[in-house]
């Protein structure tokens, strides 16, 4: 099967353990099966390699988001669908990434994985909420550090009520509506 479609960045923002990476990886599998070139730029992986040495101050978080946004835009402008599950807690950081994409005429879609902090804490995939409750972690996004909810994302998925297959259908419909699949 040949390579299909245009490049784009799909940025998944939401609290830790909201389902961003799970959804991005499922979408990647579906897009690859359809012949699309896809890369998942997971926030944790990007932080370990691209942003090693950065902390979690607001400035460091913004720098991390801008670095990942640069890589995503580079991929998108070269025909790759960059799926980016990164918390990106600040509206201004996400907006700067959107503007970078607009300047290069690259498609940017923001998906808010809207899961309440209580459900995220129950999932606690990485043990962050438990570490925060025990005092071993300070600055957990959405608990003791701010998370600015997107005002007008391209898509909002509430993983408390939407299953993974339902989420995939919403994402695929959004991409189809933009002529990306």
């Amino acid at each position: 099967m040949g390579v299909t479609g245009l490049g784009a960045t799909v940025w998944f923002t939401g609290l830790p353990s909201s389902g961003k990476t799970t959804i991005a990886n499922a979408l990647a599998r579906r897009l690859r099966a359809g012949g699309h070139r896809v890369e998942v730029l997971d926030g944790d992986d990007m932080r370990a390699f691209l942003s090693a040495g950065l902390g979690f101050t607001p400035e460091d978080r913004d720098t991390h988001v801008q670095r990942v946004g640069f890589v995503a835009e580079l991929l998108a402008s070269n025909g790759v669908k960059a799926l980016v599950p990164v918390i990106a807690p600040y509206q201004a950081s996400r907006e700067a990434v959107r503007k970078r994409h607009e300047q290069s005429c690259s498609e940017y879609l923001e998906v808010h994985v809207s899961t309440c902090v209580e459900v995220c804490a129950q999932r606690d995939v990485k043990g962050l909420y438990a570490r925060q409750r025990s005092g071993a972690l300070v600055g957990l996004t959405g608990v003791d550090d701010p998370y600015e909810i997107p005002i007008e994302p391209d898509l909002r998925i509430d993983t408390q009520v939407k299953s993974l297959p339902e989420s995939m259908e919403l994402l695929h419909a959004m991409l189809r509506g933009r002529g990306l699949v």
Side-chain angles (χ1 to χ4, degrees):
M1 180 180 295
V3 175
T4 304
L6 302 172
T9 293
V10 181
W11 195 285
F12 297 87
T13 180
L15 296 175
S17 298
S18 61
K20 299 177 301 297
T21 301
T22 299
I23 292 170
N25 285 329
L27 181 59
R29 286 188 298 275
R30 182 168 180 176
L31 291 173
R32 285 182 186 123
H36 296 270
R37 294 173 57 208
V38 179
E39 290 295 333
V40 177
L41 303 179
D42 179 70
D44 293 333
D45 294 340
M46 294 291 103
R47 184 169 276 283
F49 295 102
L50 190 64
S51 297
L54 290 181
F56 291 91
T57 65
E59 296 79 17
D60 283 354
R61 289 175 192 245
D62 180 62
T63 297
H64 174 63
V65 168
Q66 297 314 308
R67 287 176 180 177
V68 176
F70 171 78
V71 173
E73 187 278 322
L74 187 63
L75 290 168
S77 68
N78 283 283
V80 177
K81 298 215 177 27
L83 308 182
V84 187
V86 173
I87 295 170
Y90 310 124
Q91 181 66 35
S93 298
R94 296 187 304 262
E95 191 55 35
V97 172
R98 181 185 294 277
K99 286 189 185 323
R100 170 183 290 285
H101 281 72
E102 288 172 357
Q103 290 170 353
S104 71
C105 298
S106 297
E107 191 78 36
Y108 174 89
L109 301 164
E110 185 177 85
V111 177
H112 177 214
V113 182
S114 146
T115 307
C116 73
V117 70
E118 295 80 13
V119 170
C120 292
Q122 288 171 1
R123 293 176 181 168
D124 204 9
V125 177
K126 299 171 195 158
L128 298 174
Y129 294 91
R131 290 179 48 218
Q132 190 276 334
R133 280 190 303 273
S134 75
L137 175 67
V138 176
L140 181 59
T141 302
V143 178
D144 57 356
D145 205 63
Y147 176 76
E148 298 172 0
I149 296 171
I151 299 164
E152 293 185 40
D154 296 285
L155 180 63
R156 194 177 313 270
I157 299 174
D158 183 347
T159 62
Q160 297 161 173
V161 297
K162 295 290 184 197
S163 67
L164 188 56
E166 290 169 326
S167 298
M168 287 305 95
E169 288 310 311
L170 291 170
L171 284 162
H172 207 260
M174 176 185 71
L175 293 173
R176 193 171 41 252
R178 299 288 182 104
L180 296 169
V181 292

